[in-house]
């Protein structure tokens, strides 16, 4: 671990970012350029003291998980992320870490979407990051681990995952989930994380195994759907997807026409958050 290089790199990247670059209000005039240490720490979900010690060349060696969080918070490119790992004394990011590193271009767009549900997904259906509207609609996905990080996996193994859709639309959504996974499987190969997911689901879900044998392939770029919120009921939305060049990640944005009931419900999500109404 090169403490001097790590501290200098973190400080320089922090100073190069402005609040609006990461979706934060500019606020009052700042005495120093860039983000504050506490802002970077909050974006990376770590304590300010921990981050401060890294910049002061006296912190412990960060774990891969901490480095991945810092790379996302500082909006690092792939090359910058790899450099961060190396100066921190870690090997080049593992395929699993690389796969969950949010594409900076998509992150910049997401940072500016603060009035409607938006989230970034991997091609395996993993929520990489979501805004507060999406969290209020879909729930917090950050606690899932292993195969369960994939919404495709949960669709076929956890009945609660389907409650977000009306009963009459669940068969179509199941087919779409499998078609999306097959597209990822084709690009990533049988020995990839996609292959691991397919083999696990073939063992655990007869429904998945049957749908997999249909050999349907697809990747939806837009969709019109009805989602069901526990308190607000059905919400009719348009879903638009913006993909990275390699199709490995997608930014999903949910909207509804202004002055409609669905639009009002989406706005109410921002007030409701993840709390539940008390009857």
């Amino acid at each position: 671990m090169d403490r001097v290089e790590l501290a200098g790199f973190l400080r320089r990247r922090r100073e190069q970012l402005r609040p609006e670059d990461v979706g934060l209000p500019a606020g009052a005039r700042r005495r120093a350029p860039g983000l504050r240490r506490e802002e970077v720490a909050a974006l990376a979900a770590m304590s300010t003291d921990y981050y401060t010690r890294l910049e002061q060349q006296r912190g412990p060696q960060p774990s891969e998980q901490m480095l991945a969080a810092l790379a996302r918070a500082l909006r690092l490119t792939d090359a910058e992320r790899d450099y961060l790992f190396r100066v921190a004394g870690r090997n080049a990011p593992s395929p699993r870490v690389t796969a969950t590193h949010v594409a900076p271009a998509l992150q910049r767009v997401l940072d500016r979407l603060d009035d409607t549900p938006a989230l970034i997904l991997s091609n395996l259906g993993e929520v990489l990051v979501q805004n507060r509207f999406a969290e209020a609609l879909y729930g917090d996905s950050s606690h899932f681990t292993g195969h369960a990080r994939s919404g495709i996996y949960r669709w076929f193994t956890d009945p609660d995952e389907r409650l977000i859709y009306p009963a009459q639309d669940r068969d179509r959504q199941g087919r779409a989930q499998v078609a999306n996974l097959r597209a990822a499987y084709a690009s990533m190969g049988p020995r990839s994380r996609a292959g691991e997911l397919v083999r696990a689901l073939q063992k655990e879900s007869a429904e998945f195994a049957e749908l997999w044998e249909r050999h349907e392939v697809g990747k939806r770029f837009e969709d019109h759907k009805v989602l069901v919120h526990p308190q607000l009921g059905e919400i009719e939305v348009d879903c638009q997807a913006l993909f990275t060049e390699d199709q490995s990640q997608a930014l999903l944005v949910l909207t509804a026409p202004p002055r409609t009931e669905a639009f009002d419900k989406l706005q109410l999500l921002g007030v409701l958050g993840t709390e539940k109404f008390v009857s």
Side-chain angles (χ1 to χ4, degrees), residues 85-136:
F85 270 68
R86 287 194 293 270
V87 297
R90 300 291 181 182
N91 293 326
S94 66
R96 195 169 298 273
V97 171
T98 301
T100 57
H101 178 63
V102 179
L106 293 188
Q107 181 72 66
R108 286 194 294 270
V109 178
L110 178 64
D111 289 338
R112 286 157 175 77
L113 296 172
D114 58 0
D115 62 351
T116 198
L119 62 160
I120 297 176
L121 293 170
S122 75
N123 56 354
L124 299 182
E126 301 158 323
V127 175
L128 304 181
V129 63
Q130 57 188 155
N131 66 11
R132 61 190 179 93
F133 285 83
E135 185 174 340

Side-chain angles (χ1 to χ4, degrees), residues 154-164 170:
R154 298 196 305 274
W155 181 269
F156 292 100
T157 59
D158 182 358
D160 289 345
E161 188 72 14
R162 304 189 178 202
L163 298 179
I164 190 69
R170 293 171 189 168

